Amino acid sequence: MFESLLTAFSYLLSDGINFIYLALGVVVGVLFGIIPGLGGATAIALLLPLTFGMAPEQAIILMGGVMGAVSAGGAVTAILLNTPGTAPNAATCFDGYPLTKQGKAGLAIGAAASASAIGGAFGLIILVMVLPVAKTVVLWFGPPAFFMLALLGLTSLTVSSGNMLRGLIAACIGLFIGFVGYDEIGGTERYTGGSDYLWDGLSIVPVLIGLFAIAEMLVLFVKGGSITEAGSQSSIRFTDTLQGIKATLKNIKIVMSGSVIGTLIGAVPGIGGVVASFMSYSFASQITKDDNNFGKGDIRGVIAPESANNAKDGGGLIPTLAFGVPGTAEMALFLGVLILHGLNPGPMLLIEREYTIFVLILTMLGATILSTAFICMAAYYLVRIAYIDSSILIPSVISVSLVGAYAVHNTIGDVFAAAFFGLLGYLMIRYDYPRITLVIALVLCSLMERNYTQSMIMFEGNWTGFFSDNTALVLFLCSIFALCIPLLQALIKKRKNPGGTIE
Amino acid sequence: MEQSSNNRTSLAVAILLLIMAIAVLVTAYDFRGGSGIFPRFIGWIFVGLTFTECLIQLKVVLSPSASSAFNESTLVKNKIIKEFQGVFWIVFFLILLYLTGFLIGIPLYIFSFLRLSAKRTYKQSIIMSVTATILVYVLFIQLLQYRLFQGILFGA
């Protein structure tokens, strides 16, 4: 293994063009991450033709650069404009944007970039360690465990949203939005109203663009001024970004928990980075006892999802390389690049071309570090967006957001959907219904339903079967515990202050 | 007074959600085979939750502290007017996009917004609208080779 690692390292250093490919991949990755509606899959698809004449390792360097950088880029717009650059960055909005409003955008960007780098490196180290035993780990998660994992994500996030009843109502709305479209299992159209556009269900990107970017622009329109009223452009300092890096190092436990969650969820095909970052966010919110300000501008709410978001790439490569099973669209495209260059993913690839795998791992490691440095340096200029007058910012953001919504599937229906969810998002802000739980429910809906149905078939309709699966049982108990946390907190408060009443 | 108005609208929102929950639950009973099992299960939970929210909001509205005379302040009225204006600009942009497509709709929208809503000068409005359109054109059409929607008036 060390021999392959050294061979890969010397290959990377052997030719200056390798570094140029890596830098190109990083720049494209960061830019595609920043622009809402694009993301890693689009970047890989667009760069794919460029790799035709390249050696397999060089193509891997270019694509590895993109994959290692795209998540970090997506955090920038999530923090500055409440618009997730890529879907997995949505959880970063919840605390990143409030920090921007407080004039702490530099801090948030520094924290996000450094958490991304550590998370990315962690995921890749785990990849190296886990590849030989990957099959066993992935097989722990059958349909009942998947269902319970999704349930845990939903319940813990609802609890941490602050208003449990409204959080649960928002989760139900999210699930019903997720039901829209043709159901392959039952062969029925659900809640489409006969619309062809809704046949495939609602795409997540226009929904996110609407709920976050457009809704926030409406809030800004009503409020007036600029995103942040705290400080001024002259008060922006490069040291703000360094403070963010320090905050990440100070909260290393959150980074590590996020990295573990990201790697584990990334390794499970079909779940994706969105679930990883939301799970990490809700887990961090649950374990944070001191000054829990999640949702209102807590730096830990930026660190947790970003570390998971980048760590999931390392995890996602486990099934992609070991079994040829891609976990996400990005990985599916990357698989296509490998096949195009004559590399067939699977156990034989690990045996025959081990050094090629290490080229990829080292490239992605380099990409996470390069993208972090790039973003930290650019943050000094990027945070000025928060001080732009709303009358300039609103039409620009709405225009680019709607183009981004259209660009995903080239359908005008997505533009109308983004606008609709913009209005819904505004109403949710106005009447204090958490948007977080709606989004996580929408993301988890198909996973929950598919695994619920599969489990019920496995258990022949007997729901108690869920408790016969050890992994599912542990996850179910965790969900119950998450729901009991507010009650436990109230009881502890009551014990400390016997005269008070339980809320 | 603003609080009283908020309580009433919160109750109206809760009632609306309850009606929506009942509607989606009833619809779920029409789905064939296994398609309705999960939506029905979630639908009942949805109805229960929204009903509880209605009761809570009703209690708040009926409580003595909230029963002061309903009289919207100028502040609230101004906010509502602003909200309608915000929605109007989004609807206006959507109509422009649908009719003329992105490359004509974007400059028209930005120019109108800056001139009429933000009261910016002609020069600023033109510079902003042209810059944003060039950015979209270069990025999405020239670099990324996307075919942006051209609007129904121009053959889309």
Side-chain angles (χ1 to χ4, degrees):
Chain A
M1 196 161 105
F2 279 108
E3 215 171 280
S4 299
L5 182 66
L6 284 174
T7 313
F9 200 68
S10 58
Y11 176 82
L12 282 170
L13 296 176
S14 65
D15 195 346
I17 195 79
N18 292 339
F19 187 76
I20 293 172
Y21 286 142
L22 173 63
L24 176 69
V26 168
V27 172
V28 171
V30 170
L31 289 178
F32 273 64
I34 285 176
I35 301 165
L38 296 182
T42 317
I44 292 174
L46 286 166
L47 288 178
L48 187 63
L50 286 181
T51 69
F52 288 160
M54 292 180 188
E57 284 76 18
Q58 286 177 332
I60 285 173
I61 291 169
L62 182 66
M63 298 305 173
V66 172
M67 291 195 296
V70 78
S71 317
V76 174
T77 31
I79 290 165
L80 292 176
L81 300 169
N82 208 25
T83 310
T86 62
N89 296 109
T92 310
C93 294
F94 304 142
D95 283 279
Y97 189 66
L99 281 167
T100 299
K101 281 179 166 175
Q102 294 163 22
K104 295 175 185 167
L107 176 84
I109 291 176
S114 47
S116 273
I118 299 174
F122 184 89
L124 291 168
I125 291 166
I126 296 295
L127 169 69
V128 175
M129 287 160 56
V130 164
L131 268 177
V133 288
K135 197 174 177 181
T136 321
V137 177
V138 174
L139 291 179
W140 281 348
F141 286 79
F146 271 134
F147 176 75
M148 289 300 177
L149 185 69
L151 190 71
L152 174 65
L154 203 56
T155 49
S156 52
L157 204 67
T158 305
V159 170
S160 63
S161 70
N163 188 333
M164 204 200 276
L165 180 61
R166 289 187 176 180
L168 288 169
I169 291 173
C172 286
I173 296 172
L175 286 171
F176 273 97
I177 293 169
F179 292 144
V180 173
Y182 181 74
D183 174 43
E184 287 172 2
I185 298 168
T188 310
E189 260 187 74
R190 300 190 298 194
Y191 306 113
T192 61
S195 160
D196 290 339
Y197 167 70
L198 294 173
W199 175 268
D200 281 334
L202 282 155
S203 170
I204 187 80
V205 176
V207 174
L208 291 177
I209 284 176
L211 280 175
F212 295 101
I214 295 172
E216 285 302 334
M217 288 303 115
L218 271 170
V219 171
L220 197 58
F221 181 83
V222 174
K223 180 181 84 90
S226 57
I227 292 174
T228 179
E229 302 297 338
S232 63
Q233 286 205 42
S234 56
S235 65
I236 299 169
R237 294 181 308 271
F238 184 70
T239 48
D240 290 346
T241 316
L242 296 178
Q243 290 297 326
I245 298 170
K246 275 186 190 168
T248 303
L249 297 173
K250 199 177 150 196
N251 292 292
I252 200 74
K253 275 185 192 168
I254 302 268
V255 180
M256 285 300 142
S257 65
S259 304
V260 171
I261 292 170
T263 311
L264 284 177
I265 293 179
V268 183
I271 299 191
V274 185
V275 178
S277 55
F278 275 91
M279 286 273 192
S280 173
Y281 179 87
S282 66
F283 181 75
S285 168
Q286 290 291 324
I287 61 165
T288 302
K289 301 227 168 22
D290 310 324
D291 304 323
N292 187 326
N293 245 337
F294 275 69
K296 293 171 195 141
D298 196 316
I299 196 68
R300 292 165 292 195
V302 172
I303 293 168
E306 279 309 312
S307 51
N309 191 11
N310 237 14
K312 64 110 178 35
D313 291 331
L317 280 170
I318 296 171
T320 309
L321 297 174
F323 318 117
V325 179
T328 59
E330 199 177 300
M331 287 298 162
L333 277 156
F334 179 66
L335 202 68
V337 175
L338 293 180
I339 293 166
L340 187 81
H341 287 273
L343 303 170
N344 288 316
M348 287 313 287
L349 180 73
L350 304 180
I351 297 164
E352 289 170 359
R353 301 286 290 256
E354 196 179 47
Y355 93 95
T356 307
I357 304 295
F358 279 106
V359 167
L360 173 67
I361 291 168
L362 288 174
T363 301
M364 286 182 71
L365 195 63
T368 51
I369 294 163
L370 266 182
S371 60
T372 300
F374 180 61
I375 288 168
C376 283
M377 282 190 288
Y380 180 73
Y381 301 99
L382 290 170
V383 292
R384 285 162 206 274
I385 291 171
Y387 294 94
I388 296 174
D389 188 69
S390 62
S391 64
I392 303 273
L393 199 63
I394 292 167
S396 316
V397 170
I398 289 182
S399 301
V400 176
S401 296
L402 291 186
V403 176
Y406 177 82
V408 182
H409 295 118
N410 278 359
T411 165
I412 194 73
D414 281 347
V415 174
F416 286 93
F420 171 79
F421 281 97
L423 298 181
L424 179 69
Y426 180 77
L427 289 174
M428 290 182 80
I429 296 168
R430 178 90 152 77
Y431 295 106
D432 200 23
Y433 284 83
R435 288 170 294 170
I436 309 174
T437 48
L438 186 151
V439 173
I440 187 78
L442 175 61
V443 168
L444 293 173
C445 181
S446 63
L447 181 84
M448 282 181 87
E449 186 175 17
R450 190 173 62 244
N451 288 292
Y452 176 82
T453 313
Q454 282 177 355
S455 304
M456 292 306 269
I457 292 167
M458 275 167 57
F459 304 137
E460 294 171 341
N462 181 8
W463 59 267
T464 55
F466 278 104
F467 308 119
S468 60
D469 182 305
N470 289 339
T471 317
L473 182 63
V474 170
L475 292 167
F476 175 73
L477 292 174
C478 290
S479 303
I480 297 293
F481 179 70
L483 281 172
C484 292
I485 283 176
L487 189 68
L488 290 172
Q489 281 173 338
L491 281 171
I492 292 166
K493 221 182 209 177
K494 172 85 177 164
R495 277 188 70 181
K496 280 183 183 168
N497 179 19
T501 54
I502 296 176
E503 283 170 31
Chain B
M1 279 181 274
E2 191 181 347
Q3 189 57 45
S4 170
S5 165
N6 271 342
N7 292 339
R8 282 162 188 256
T9 44
S10 292
L11 176 63
V13 169
I15 293 170
L16 202 71
L17 284 171
L18 177 61
I19 294 167
M20 197 174 90
I22 293 168
V24 291
L25 176 63
V26 170
T27 312
Y29 276 93
D30 291 337
F31 299 148
R32 284 196 312 263
S35 295
I37 296 171
F38 202 56
R40 283 197 287 271
F41 171 61
I42 300 296
W44 278 110
I45 296 172
F46 193 16
V47 169
L49 292 169
T50 47
F51 184 71
T52 312
E53 175 70 8
C54 280
L55 289 180
I56 291 169
Q57 293 307 321
L58 191 66
K59 196 180 160 194
V60 172
V61 169
L62 294 177
S63 68
S65 59
S67 62
S68 57
F70 178 65
N71 182 17
E72 281 190 343
S73 65
T74 317
L75 202 69
V76 177
K77 276 184 182 166
N78 284 344
K79 193 180 173 187
I80 292 169
I81 290 168
K82 265 285 202 188
E83 283 171 339
F84 274 104
Q85 283 175 346
V87 174
F88 163 80
W89 281 109
I90 289 177
V91 174
F92 173 71
F93 187 30
L94 287 178
I95 294 168
L96 275 180
L97 283 183
Y98 190 64
L99 293 175
T100 63
F102 283 99
L103 289 183
I104 297 173
I106 288 174
L108 282 178
Y109 161 68
I110 295 180
F111 179 80
S112 317
F113 183 89
L114 290 175
R115 259 318 281 151
L116 304 173
S117 176
K119 310 284 182 212
R120 295 268 169 173
T121 62
Y122 275 107
K123 193 179 163 188
Q124 284 176 330
S125 309
I126 290 169
I127 290 172
M128 267 300 296
S129 51
V130 170
T131 309
T133 314
I134 290 173
L135 184 81
V136 167
Y137 178 77
V138 171
L139 191 66
F140 286 91
I141 296 179
Q142 288 301 316
L143 290 177
L144 302 177
Q145 305 281 307
Y146 275 113
R147 248 181 85 86
L148 291 184
F149 185 69
Q150 293 176 330
I152 55 164
L153 294 181
F154 298 98

